[in-house]
Amino acid sequence: FRVTRVDRVFAAPLPARRAVRRTVRRAVTAVRSQMTRLYQAAFLDEDVWGTGRYGEALMLFDRRSRGAARRDLAVLTLGSDAADRFASVRPARGRLRVQVLLGRWGGPLTAVAVVFFRARAESLDGRVRVIVSQGRYFLRPLGSRWAISGYRVGRHDHPAEG
């Protein structure tokens, strides 16, 4: 993903600017890493979608949202039947905008990742489909990592033109 915009949102008085920039930079790096891992496992890694088992992607969600993500695999991933439909998937482009909510002392409380992802999938019969995923993921710091705590994501796949 290419980060197109970073927003800082403060929930309290402005702490030291340098510390805030460092905190936001770390949060954005971590969120970008999680989103890259998610989309790699959900759409691009043939070893994953070829088996239809998306455990690696599901582990990026916190425990409370993991059940909903499991039920929404058809939207969040290529789906459990991807190996029966696709021969290959290649990334076309991805955009990511991150908003970080900082607490009273400048620590990150939550982040919103606004995602636009597009890939080209060749079906087993040679036709090409454009896979489009876009929406928002809500993340929170969980120990040493950021976990997805909610999402509002849609798919807008369509046949490739030309």
Side-chain angles (χ1 to χ4, degrees):
F1 283 102
R2 179 174 57 90
V3 176
T4 59
R5 189 170 124 190
V6 174
D7 297 323
R8 292 179 296 229
V9 180
F10 296 96
L14 180 67
R17 289 184 189 272
R18 185 173 294 157
V20 167
R21 279 195 299 268
R22 184 173 43 250
T23 297
V24 169
R25 189 171 39 250
R26 286 180 182 155
V28 168
T29 299
V31 168
R32 178 182 184 213
S33 174
Q34 292 297 79
M35 292 295 95
T36 299
R37 288 178 63 199
L38 174 64
Y39 277 81
Q40 184 71 33
F43 294 97
L44 300 175
D45 188 341
E46 188 174 355
D47 291 337
V48 176
W49 63 257
T51 65
R53 297 181 185 192
Y54 296 96
E56 182 180 339
L58 290 171
M59 292 309 295
L60 300 173
F61 292 80
D62 67 12
R63 285 191 176 153
R64 287 182 288 163
S65 62
R66 199 171 294 147
R70 188 173 282 113
R71 289 187 296 277
D72 291 337
L73 279 179
V75 173
L76 298 173
T77 70
L78 281 179
S80 58
D81 64 343
D84 297 329
R85 297 184 298 136
F86 300 115
S88 66
V89 179
R90 301 288 174 253
R93 74 179 199 202
R95 287 192 316 262
L96 177 67
R97 188 176 88 217
V98 179
Q99 296 172 310
V100 179
L101 177 67
L102 302 175
R104 178 178 187 102
W105 306 111
L109 298 176
T110 188
V112 179
V114 181
V115 173
F116 177 84
F117 172 83
R118 183 180 294 180
R120 295 177 61 84
E122 184 177 336
S123 65
L124 294 175
D125 64 6
R127 290 182 289 163
V128 177
R129 272 193 87 63
V130 177
I131 307 295
V132 179
S133 171
Q134 68 183 94
R136 289 176 165 74
Y137 290 89
F138 305 92
L139 297 95
R140 64 187 181 98
L142 190 63
S144 62
R145 69 182 184 98
W146 283 75
I148 301 167
S149 58
Y151 55 90
R152 186 177 188 108
V153 177
R155 288 275 295 281
H156 311 286
D157 302 353
H158 56 84
E161 296 176 8

